[in-house]
């Protein structure tokens, strides 16, 4: 039994990295196409192995074809990373609800806090929503750009950059409000353990996003 | 055919691949290999490019929202079939108009004999 098609699909698989279900879906389709082509050559009178060789030759060199598929895998990963950014406001809202449950409304300040403190607090509260809006806008812009013929790999890199900047904005917002609170009224940082522990959830999401954003760049095919 | 003209043909083809793919699924949903056969058949065997490049191009069109695809069973085998979306129909109509204008313009210059006649 000739294994030319098997070997070709394996060599494609070894070259591809990215979301596993997307990868297997692409490979299953490639395999179908190769089987169809080989069947057509067999019915034209070629022997099994020769038919498979012709089918593989028609499909194109694995290195070249893999590069095109790799762009798609990077793009699928980029879109997934942008969708994951939508978790940021959910985590923020969850944290606030949890804090409301354990602490209630923030106590009033003894002396009114300076304007800059309120500005930092407002910026930190809105950062999560801005990030979500940017993610939705990027997904829509990506669809528009792919229609204009922008390469999948370029879009994946853009998605990675947008996500990295978003994560950096969210983390700096968190850091800024904590530092500012420490300066203005350090006692407020002494949160009950369930509230302090809940802080780990948005942090874990941010770290996960940082990893996903970095992978957008790693998965992009070398141009 | 010389190597050079074969290369030029595949290069020129690449720029039109998206429109050609949209045109092949205009008549109804098709799976990938049927799209490749349709391209070869409708071009009289002249359009001949690595078949492996057709699939990434189809997926890119899907990402762009111009086609949708799904796994279905055709003739007892599972295959991924592609169909044109409304946006795809609009894009194809625009491509056809642009192509007609282009060929009319080129024909006006290249098609006749020496000018003025």
């Amino acid at each position: 039994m000739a294994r030319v098609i098997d070997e070709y699909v394996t060599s494609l698989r070894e070259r591809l990295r990215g979301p596993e279900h997307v990868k297997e879906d692409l490979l299953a389709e490639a395999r179908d196409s190769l089987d169809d082509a080989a069947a057509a050559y067999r019915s034209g009178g070629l022997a099994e192995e020769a038919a498979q060789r012709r089918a593989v030759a028609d499909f194109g060199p694995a290195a070249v074809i893999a590069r095109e598929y790799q762009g798609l895998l990077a793009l699928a990963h980029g879109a997934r990373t942008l969708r994951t950014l939508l978790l940021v406001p959910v985590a923020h809202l969850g944290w606030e609800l949890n804090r409301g449950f354990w602490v209630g409304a923030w106590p009033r300040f003894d002396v009114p806090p300076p304007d800059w403190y309120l500005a930092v607090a407002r910026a930190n509260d809105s950062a999560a929503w801005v990030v979500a809006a940017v993610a939705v806008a990027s997904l829509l812009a990506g669809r528009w750009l792919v229609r204009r013929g922008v390469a999948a790999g370029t879009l994946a890199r853009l998605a990675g950059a947008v996500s990295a900047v978003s994560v950096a904005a969210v983390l700096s917002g968190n850091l800024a409000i904590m530092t500012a609170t420490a300066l203005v009224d350090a006692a407020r940082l002494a949160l009950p353990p369930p509230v302090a522990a809940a802080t780990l959830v948005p942090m874990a999401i941010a770290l996960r996003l940082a990893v996903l954003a970095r992978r957008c760049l790693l998965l992009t095919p070398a141009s | 055919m010389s190597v050079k003209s074969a290369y030029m043909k595949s290069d020129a083809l690449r720029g039109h691949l998206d429109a050609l793919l949209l045109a092949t699924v205009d008549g109804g949903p098709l799976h990938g290999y049927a799209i490749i056969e349709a391209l070869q058949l409708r071009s009289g065997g002249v359009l001949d490019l690595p078949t492996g490049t057709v699939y990434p191009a189809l997926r890119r069109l899907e990402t762009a929202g111009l086609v949708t695809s799904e796994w279905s069973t055709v003739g007892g085998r599972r295959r991924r079939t592609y169909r044109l979306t409304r946006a795809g129909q609009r894009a194809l109509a625009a491509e056809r108009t642009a192509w007609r204008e282009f060929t009319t313009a080129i024909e006006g210059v290249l098609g006749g004999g020496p000018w003025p006649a």
Side-chain angles (χ1 to χ4, degrees), chain A residues 154-201:
Chain A
T154 309
L155 290 174
R157 262 196 295 259
L158 273 175
V162 166
S163 306
V165 170
S166 300
V167 172
V170 167
L171 287 177
S172 355
N174 289 347
L175 196 65
I177 191 65
M178 281 196 273
T179 314
T181 307
L183 290 173
V184 171
D185 183 4
R188 280 175 179 251
L189 288 178
L191 293 163
V195 180
T199 305
L200 292 176
V201 176

Side-chain angles (χ1 to χ4, degrees), chain A residues 25 29 33 36 58-59 147, chain B residues 51-52 55 64 71 79-80 82:
Chain A
D25 195 70
E29 188 182 33
S33 179
D36 280 338
D58 286 351
F59 208 77
R147 254 182 224 184
Chain B
T51 51
Y55 296 94
W71 286 99
R79 292 168 185 284
R80 196 167 190 104
Y82 294 83

Side-chain angles (χ1 to χ4, degrees), chain A residues 194-209:
Chain A
V195 180
T199 305
L200 292 176
V201 176
M203 288 293 168
I205 290 174
L207 284 179
R208 173 82 185 132
L209 274 164

Side-chain angles (χ1 to χ4, degrees), chain B residues 68-113:
Chain B
T68 56
S69 73
E70 59 186 2
W71 286 99
S72 58
T73 307
V74 181
R77 280 185 54 186
R78 264 169 59 76
R79 292 168 185 284
R80 196 167 190 104
T81 53
Y82 294 83
R83 73 177 67 233
L84 213 53
T85 62
R86 298 283 287 269
Q89 282 164 357
R90 283 195 298 272
L92 177 60
E95 291 281 359
R96 282 187 165 136
T97 306
W99 177 250
R100 272 187 213 111
E101 286 169 6
F102 177 75
T103 49
T104 305
I106 298 295
E107 175 64 20
V109 179
L110 275 187

Side-chain angles (χ1 to χ4, degrees), chain A residues 25-26 28-29 32-33 35-37 40 58-60 65 68-69 72 75 143 146-147, chain B residues 14 33 50-53 55-56 59-60 63-66 71 77-80 82 87:
Chain A
D25 195 70
L26 292 171
E29 188 182 33
D32 275 350
S33 179
D35 286 343
D36 280 338
D58 286 351
F59 208 77
I65 302 302
E68 302 211 15
Y69 276 121
L72 288 173
L75 184 58
R143 174 172 274 221
V146 86
R147 254 182 224 184
Chain B
R14 238 163 207 287
Y33 189 69
T51 51
T53 59
Y55 296 94
R59 296 298 181 109
R60 215 179 53 243
T63 310
L66 302 180
W71 286 99
R77 280 185 54 186
R78 264 169 59 76
R79 292 168 185 284
R80 196 167 190 104
Y82 294 83

